[in-house]
Amino acid sequence: MINFFDPASDKSSDLGTPARASEVQVSLSIDGRSVTVPAGTSVMRAAAMLGTSIPKLCATDSLEAFGSCRMCMVEIEGMRGYPASCTTPVSEGMVVRTETPRLAGLRRNVMELYISDHPLDCLTCSANGNCELQTVAGQVGLREVRYGYDGANHLAEKKDVSNPYFDYEPSKCIVCSRCVRACEDIQGTFALTITGRGFESRVAAAGGDNFLTSECVSCGACVQACPTATLTEKSLVQLGQPERSVVTTCAYCGVGCSFRAEMKGDQLVRMVPDKNGGANHGHACVKGRFAWGYATHPDRITKPMIRKRLEDPWQEVSWDEAVSYAASEFRRIQLKYGRDSIGGITSSRCTNEEAYLVQKLVRTAFGNNNVDTCARVCHSPTGYGLKQTLGESAGTQSFDSVMQADVVLVIGANPTDAHPVFGSQLKRRLRQGARLIVIDPRRIDLVDSPHARAELHLQLRPGTNVAMLNALAHVIVTEGLLAQDFIDARCETEAFTHWRDFVSLAENAPEVLGPVCGVPAEQIRAAARLYATGGNAAIYYGLGVTEHSQGSTAVMGIANLAMATGNIGREGVGVNPLRGQNNVQGSCDMGSFPHELPGYRHISNEGVRAEFERAWGVTLQPDPGLRIPNMFEAALDGSFKALYCQGEDIAQSDPNTQHVTAALLAMECVVVQDIFLNETAKFAHVFLPGSSFLEKDGTFTNAERRISRVRKVMEPLAGKADWEATVALANALGYPMNYRHPSEIMDEIARLTPTFHRVSYAEIDRHGSLQWPCNDAAPDGTPTMHIDQFVRGKGRFMLTGYVATDEKVNNRYPLLLTTGRILSQYNVGAQTRRTANVAWHDADRLEIHPTDAESRGIHDGDWVGIGSRAGQTVLRAKVSTRVAPGVVYTTFHFPESGANVITTDNSDWATNCPEYKVTAVEVVKVFQPSQWQKRYQDFSEEQQRLLQQRRSAEKAEVRR
Ligand code: SF4
Ligand code: SF4
Ligand code: SF4
Ligand code: FES
């Protein structure tokens, strides 16, 4: 659905104050017309619902009313004076007048005061045509300013342009405090304050000299709330007001925020979070709102390229030539090495439709099941663990569910950095009084943030999640905290009994496992009691749970806790994996795993296979294909020779980089489809230029199973969207694909996938978004799962014996390295490194505790070498008490830091998800890069040189 941009309609959709939910309805009269609204609604909102727009400046419906500007005065029978309609709640029988000569005069007087201290540069102002001050001045009929413009004013105040994305121009500020309230209520950062009183009142960013150095996290909520041009996007200043907007979905994290992409011609002017977005309700973070410049970065490669050897310069060729070359290579290799010698990787950054097509291509045109996805290295244990216990490989709740939670347990996740909009929502709930338990080796921001603090932080040793979960379960069982009625009614009795007997064993007591985890037993007991008895209790977890040798066990341990306490199947509770990439849920749903067809149905199931065989017109192989790590092993063995890799950067993101690059070097044909020449593409023989989320239609599925539309706002820079390239490749391989639009792909997915039966673009457009399962049993989708019964029928408790990881510290490697993300960067950084987000984080750093730093003579900012059993790299040190002694931490956003050179081949026993979170290392002060880094630099420079030397199609030498 394309909404043509209309600032007027945008403003009129602002009802002034937030909606109220109440069973009690109140009727009143406004300007002689009757209206009935829920109790607690403001007079301003009630009037707006009648279509009466009362002038306002400090009110907006995303914030609680503040009542400072006095512009919204009304007359109310029986009330003295002129109450502010934004702060006055309706009452039964109330009679309101919004327009009288007296009110008009008073409003003009107020407006005169504002305008006398405002630069009158409307014609050249970036907000011209979309400024609330300007609109209200017109609305109240201001015709003169009797006070003149020569009195005391703020017109000479200096602009703050320090933030890379927005400016602060204080001379235009009307001190309405909408920005301050947005930062507090919506974002929860409390970075802004109003200093001074009366005329001296000014907005100030706390904790620094300017916005950049302050505590501001650049979410942009204040910019969106500002009614004037005081806080304005730099892109708007440069490009002018947009002409139209298209509603689409953020391509960064698994929150799946909805945005209006505001356009001028084919140029994106700004991204404005959509108030109707089911996951974000009008909020966003620095990545989605501002970090979209990568989409048109000069590094984008927009022409297909081929080469025979990695030592050759690239040859630019036509799409036809690149695709037919790739197809002929795949066929040549299969002829020589066998059907199973090739495979594909789907992307969790691409759309559902694109992931579906890649797995379909592998299963039909390649004729094998050698398809996998990056979820292998992040949330595959979630898929396995939740399927085993609850029956469905997905989170159980909507994000909004957290607003009903009384206790929130966050384990192995860092929402304020990795899922920031959910992090803000969680903090709002904490400010309302919910209690928080954090289980994490690192002191994440949530542990102690403004007005939100963890009651318990269980700072466990990396690798001991399962021991911790068993100790929590032990307390719940042995202290009689089980929800026995729930268990009896909803869960398998025998499995429960086995589990209960197992966790009751003395070996699982906190007094035994506490020392293993490095956490006092009493803290564990307190956390278990709080989780089990504190009311609605919800668990949120992330890669700090899954990326372990016992990742699947830990996921099952989490599901066990939820079942044992009855915290599942309603709002405010549940088991909630915070998915990393924008479409990691979707890529898994779409059948990207080698053992599963779309909808998580096992490839060995004859009935399911027959259904797909009929639809696709091929015979499918009944056995699971190769997982990504198996592909690497097979490549090194010489049996796996070619790869089609769409939108993933395995050379940077997968563990043990040297192992991965050796596998890539061993292949005869690597086809990479991406928007940049990423680390994997440096090992490629065919480069198919990818399309950004702005250049295509499709859908993403977020962590809440919410399917949202991605809408094309500009033509693909390379001429084809990613799905079109896959279609071309399938056809070149002799398997016909004839889709004209991604909606036809979704229609096929819906036909073949029971949980998607009622999903179509028309239905998504009608609802805004849809949470699967969406079928005849749930035509409007399913926000909360497992309400009356579990998807698998009865919930199954699983035994979760703790087995310590093989990755042990010793004298040589005495520290444990764990990894994670930072707010301003995203995964391998290919996108965010090409934006101004580098202003906050321009390199990965190693956090090390002061004690460990001191004993090694390391100071903040020193270069340090990190060595593990897998490899060595060099980073700058950041001495920090966020990590405990014995633990070091880094992010992995920059290829040159090589965080994954260090990580090992250890992986989850069930899914092969790598154990990124536990690596035994030693850290020493150094003065030069590691050997790996030197080799990496040489290789990268050579590949960049070969890219610069690329020749056009006419001169292409690689022809077949
Ligand atoms: S950008 Fe966000 S964090 Fe920064 S001041 Fe504005 S609302 Fe607060
Ligand atoms: S910066 Fe904007 S939102 Fe904040 S007080 Fe000034 S005018 Fe209001
Ligand atoms: S929270 Fe995630 S989905 Fe939302 S804007 Fe930020 S990166 Fe995008
Ligand atoms: S809008 Fe009501 S006091 Fe400002």
Side-chain angles (χ1 to χ4, degrees):
M1 185 200 331
I2 293 182
N3 305 321
F4 286 94
F5 186 68
D6 173 0
S9 80
D10 207 42
K11 290 283 183 287
S12 67
S13 68
D14 183 347
L15 303 184
T17 63
R20 290 287 181 258
S22 173
E23 308 249 300
V24 181
Q25 296 291 306
V26 173
S27 296
L28 66 157
S29 158
I30 299 177
D31 295 335
R33 295 161 69 203
S34 296
V35 62
T36 302
V37 294
T41 302
S42 70
V43 169
M44 174 180 277
R45 188 176 176 97
M49 289 164 77
L50 278 174
T52 301
S53 167
I54 299 173
K56 60 180 166 48
L57 285 173
C58 69
T60 182
D61 61 8
S62 57
L63 296 167
E64 290 300 328
F66 188 59
S68 67
C69 76
R70 304 293 301 156
M71 192 55 68
C72 68
M73 292 172 274
V74 290
E75 291 178 8
I76 298 178
E77 277 184 18
M79 273 190 164
R80 290 172 49 192
Y82 302 94
S85 61
C86 63
T87 50
T88 306
V90 294
S91 63
E92 188 63 38
M94 191 179 245
V95 177
V96 180
R97 276 182 295 280
T98 68
E99 290 295 343
T100 67
R102 179 69 188 142
L103 286 172
L106 287 171
R107 288 178 188 149
R108 271 198 292 269
N109 287 349
V110 175
M111 183 50 91
E112 264 187 275
L113 285 169
Y114 278 119
I115 297 301
S116 67
D117 187 10
H118 199 81
L120 295 180
D121 60 354
C122 290
L123 283 182
T124 53
C125 176
S126 60
N128 189 18
N130 194 17
C131 167
E132 291 183 48
L133 188 67
Q134 201 178 50
T135 305
V136 174
Q139 204 179 357
V140 302
L142 184 73
R143 295 291 173 265
E144 59 172 341
V145 175
R146 288 166 296 167
Y147 312 112
Y149 301 97
D150 302 330
N153 60 49
H154 303 88
L155 301 182
E157 284 184 9
K158 215 169 141 241
K159 215 165 159 177
D160 176 354
V161 295
S162 61
N163 185 290
Y165 296 118
F166 60 84
D167 294 341
Y168 171 55
E169 194 172 351
S171 64
K172 296 191 169 174
C173 179
I174 58 170
V175 201
C176 66
S177 93
R178 274 162 63 162
C179 54
V180 178
R181 288 176 287 141
C183 191
E184 292 175 359
D185 299 350
I186 299 175
Q187 167 57 26
T189 292
F190 295 79
L192 296 180
T193 183
I194 303 276
T195 60
R197 298 176 74 87
F199 179 79
E200 303 300 326
S201 303
R202 300 321 283 158
V203 171
D209 298 336
N210 54 35
F211 266 89
L212 185 65
T213 55
S214 74
E215 287 153 15
C216 166
V217 294
S218 212
C219 72
C222 55
V223 180
Q224 191 167 341
C226 183
T228 65
T230 313
L231 287 161
T232 310
E233 296 93 343
K234 283 181 157 68
S235 58
L236 190 80
V237 175
Q238 281 157 14
L239 300 169
Q241 289 289 328
E243 297 159 343
R244 66 189 172 100
S245 73
V246 181
V247 176
T248 191
T249 306
C250 178
Y252 281 116
C253 85
V255 175
C257 295
S258 180
F259 280 90
R260 281 186 291 121
E262 293 190 350
M263 308 293 297
K264 192 168 196 169
D266 273 347
Q267 194 154 34
L268 181 56
V269 176
R270 64 179 173 182
M271 295 286 275
V272 179
D274 184 13
K275 275 205 288 200
N276 301 318
N280 59 322
H281 308 296
H283 190 36
C285 79
V286 61
K287 295 188 284 281
R289 192 191 294 258
F290 294 124
W292 38 265
Y294 72 87
T296 48
H297 192 277
D299 285 355
R300 278 285 301 265
I301 297 177
T302 56
K303 297 243 170 46
M305 306 186 297
I306 59 179
R307 61 181 174 180
K308 265 198 165 152
R309 300 175 315 133
L310 302 191
E311 299 76 30
D312 296 338
W314 285 100
Q315 314 283 326
E316 284 182 348
V317 295
S318 68
W319 271 104
D320 280 351
E321 197 161 358
V323 163
S324 63
Y325 178 71
S328 68
E329 278 295 275
F330 285 137
R331 286 294 182 240
R332 175 186 69 76
I333 288 167
Q334 282 189 306
L335 211 58
K336 186 167 173 191
Y337 299 101
R339 185 193 64 206
D340 296 336
S341 58
I342 67 175
I345 295 178
T346 74
S347 174
S348 293
R349 287 188 245 177
C350 288
T351 63
N352 284 316
E353 293 75 3
E354 287 162 347
Y356 174 85
L357 284 196
V358 171
Q359 64 84 33
K360 179 175 176 180
L361 173 139
V362 169
R363 295 195 154 101
T364 55
F366 287 4
N368 61 41
N369 290 312
N370 291 339
V371 63
D372 208 354
T373 185
C374 66
R376 174 68 51 216
V377 298
C378 65
H379 266 289
S380 51
T382 288
Y384 180 86
L386 296 187
K387 184 106 182 166
Q388 293 295 313
T389 46
L390 311 180
E392 190 57 274
S393 301
T396 62
Q397 313 293 126
S398 292
F399 289 129
D400 285 352
S401 162
V402 78
M403 300 311 285
Q404 310 297 321
D406 302 306
V407 176
V408 177
L409 193 166
V410 174
I411 172 167
N414 185 3
T416 52
D417 278 56
H419 302 86
V421 165
F422 171 68
S424 291
Q425 192 174 23
L426 170 55
K427 286 201 282 188
R428 196 173 320 138
R429 183 60 189 154
L430 297 176
R431 291 197 301 277
Q432 291 173 357
R435 300 161 79 183
L436 176 68
I437 304 164
V438 171
I439 303 180
D440 201 286
R442 191 162 164 269
R443 186 169 47 76
I444 57 172
D445 280 347
L446 271 181
V447 170
D448 189 7
S449 59
H451 306 280
R453 167 165 305 152
E455 194 162 318
L456 289 158
H457 176 207
L458 277 47
Q459 196 168 11
L460 80 182
R461 205 165 277 140
T464 60
N465 285 329
V466 172
M468 173 62 71
L469 291 163
N470 287 348
L472 291 168
H474 178 90
V475 178
I476 289 167
V477 170
T478 57
E479 295 194 6
L481 309 179
L482 289 167
Q484 199 61 54
D485 290 349
F486 180 92
I487 296 165
D488 292 345
R490 301 279 309 266
C491 302
E492 286 181 6
T493 308
E494 197 181 328
F496 164 70
T497 312
H498 279 146
W499 174 80
R500 184 197 59 199
D501 294 347
F502 161 70
V503 295
S504 305
L505 296 172
E507 69 193 43
N508 287 319
E511 289 67 25
V512 177
L513 292 178
V516 173
C517 302
V519 176
E522 257 327 296
Q523 272 193 20
I524 301 176
R525 287 194 177 272
R529 290 172 195 144
L530 178 55
Y531 175 73
T533 65
N536 281 344
I539 301 181
Y540 292 84
Y541 72 89
L543 305 182
V545 163
T546 54
E547 291 176 342
H548 286 86
S549 60
Q550 280 200 296
S552 293
T553 318
V555 172
M556 293 189 289
I558 285 171
N560 290 342
L561 285 186
M563 290 189 290
T565 54
N567 276 312
I568 199 145
R570 62 180 190 280
E571 291 281 281
V573 298
V575 173
N576 302 281
L578 294 172
R579 301 292 191 142
Q581 303 201 66
N582 52 326
N583 199 36
V584 71
Q585 178 71 54
S587 73
C588 300
D589 300 343
M590 291 300 105
S592 296
F593 288 132
H595 66 293
E596 281 172 339
L597 286 159
Y600 303 100
R601 284 159 307 152
H602 206 279
I603 191 78
S604 63
N605 182 319
E606 255 178 62
V608 172
R609 232 172 36 245
E611 199 185 330
F612 280 90
E613 287 175 343
R614 271 194 305 279
W616 292 350
V618 294
T619 302
L620 296 174
Q621 301 305 315
D623 299 318
L626 298 175
R627 297 170 173 180
I628 292 171
N630 306 136
M631 292 181 194
F632 298 151
E633 290 301 334
L636 292 169
D637 285 354
S639 59
F640 188 84
K641 288 290 187 184
L643 180 69
Y644 171 34
C645 181
Q646 182 181 77
E648 282 304 321
D649 195 0
I650 49 178
Q652 190 184 337
S653 65
D654 283 40
N656 196 348
T657 306
Q658 298 181 87
H659 180 74
V660 177
T661 54
L664 287 168
L665 282 169
M667 295 183 204
E668 292 184 8
C669 181
V670 175
V671 179
V672 168
Q673 187 170 346
D674 207 280
I675 58 177
F676 300 115
L677 192 88
N678 62 18
E679 298 308 305
T680 311
K682 292 172 184 169
F683 296 87
H685 306 87
V686 179
F687 184 89
L688 303 177
S691 50
S692 77
F693 77 114
L694 298 170
E695 298 157 39
K696 57 195 176 189
D697 282 297
T699 54
F700 292 151
T701 306
N702 76 352
E704 321 160 280
R705 296 167 278 104
R706 185 184 298 281
I707 309 162
S708 301
R709 279 294 317 277
V710 176
R711 293 183 176 89
K712 182 158 86 172
V713 304
M714 56 181 70
E715 289 305 314
L717 298 190
K720 277 192 201 301
D722 292 320
W723 65 272
E724 293 174 295
T726 307
V727 164
L729 183 56
N731 285 320
L733 284 159
Y735 180 80
M737 285 191 188
N738 299 303
Y739 308 99
R740 286 160 301 173
H741 189 266
S743 62
E744 297 175 357
I745 308 172
M746 179 53 83
D747 291 343
E748 180 176 316
I749 296 165
R751 275 195 303 279
L752 289 167
T753 313
T755 45
F756 275 63
H757 270 346
R758 290 284 286 258
V759 178
S760 68
Y761 281 20
E763 279 300 289
I764 298 173
D765 288 349
R766 201 161 73 78
H767 287 82
S769 58
L770 281 170
Q771 286 169 276
W772 68 260
C774 177
N775 46 30
D776 291 343
D780 297 330
T782 310
T784 306
M785 293 192 81
H786 315 294
I787 288 181
D788 296 317
Q789 64 169 11
F790 288 101
V791 170
R792 67 181 303 282
K794 296 267 188 187
R796 177 163 57 174
F797 283 84
M798 298 292 288
L799 293 190
T800 54
Y802 169 62
V803 180
T805 170
D806 289 342
E807 185 66 10
K808 304 263 194 293
V809 290
N810 59 16
N811 284 345
R812 185 154 177 219
Y813 302 112
L815 303 170
L816 283 178
L817 169 74
T818 189
T819 60
R821 286 194 210 164
I822 198 164
L823 171 68
S824 56
Q825 295 290 339
Y826 176 71
N827 273 20
V828 293
Q831 294 145 286
T832 43
R833 280 186 277 111
R834 291 181 171 93
T835 69
N837 279 24
V838 290
W840 291 280
H841 189 75
D842 61 356
D844 295 318
R845 288 179 175 76
L846 186 83
E847 281 182 13
I848 183 166
H849 190 272
T851 312
D852 293 323
E854 194 184 343
S855 63
R856 290 164 174 80
I858 293 167
H859 299 100
D860 210 48
D862 281 352
W863 287 109
V864 290
I866 319 159
S868 75
R869 294 176 179 96
Q872 292 103 31
T873 193
V874 170
L875 295 175
R876 280 203 192 274
K878 182 174 178 182
V879 178
S880 166
T881 52
R882 275 184 188 260
V883 287
V887 176
V888 289
Y889 168 89
T890 186
T891 51
F892 49 85
H893 304 301
F894 289 80
E896 57 275 15
S897 47
N900 281 325
V901 175
I902 306 298
T903 52
T904 67
D905 285 334
N906 288 352
S907 66
D908 175 43
W909 62 272
T911 65
N912 276 146
C913 181
E915 193 175 38
Y916 289 110
K917 302 298 181 189
V918 194
T919 309
V921 295
E922 176 55 304
V923 175
V924 292
K925 194 166 169 169
V926 295
F927 300 95
Q928 57 174 353
S930 71
Q931 287 305 315
W932 174 83
Q933 280 166 314
K934 287 178 192 156
R935 287 200 304 278
Y936 166 80
Q937 198 175 350
D938 290 348
F939 178 71
S940 274
E941 280 172 9
E942 173 65 5
Q943 288 301 317
Q944 281 303 334
R945 193 180 60 75
L946 295 171
L947 180 68
Q948 299 316 322
Q949 289 176 357
R950 62 189 183 266
R951 277 172 275 170
S952 64
E954 298 81 58
K955 293 179 188 160
E957 288 157 3
V958 187
R959 294 251 171 86
R960 301 191 74 81

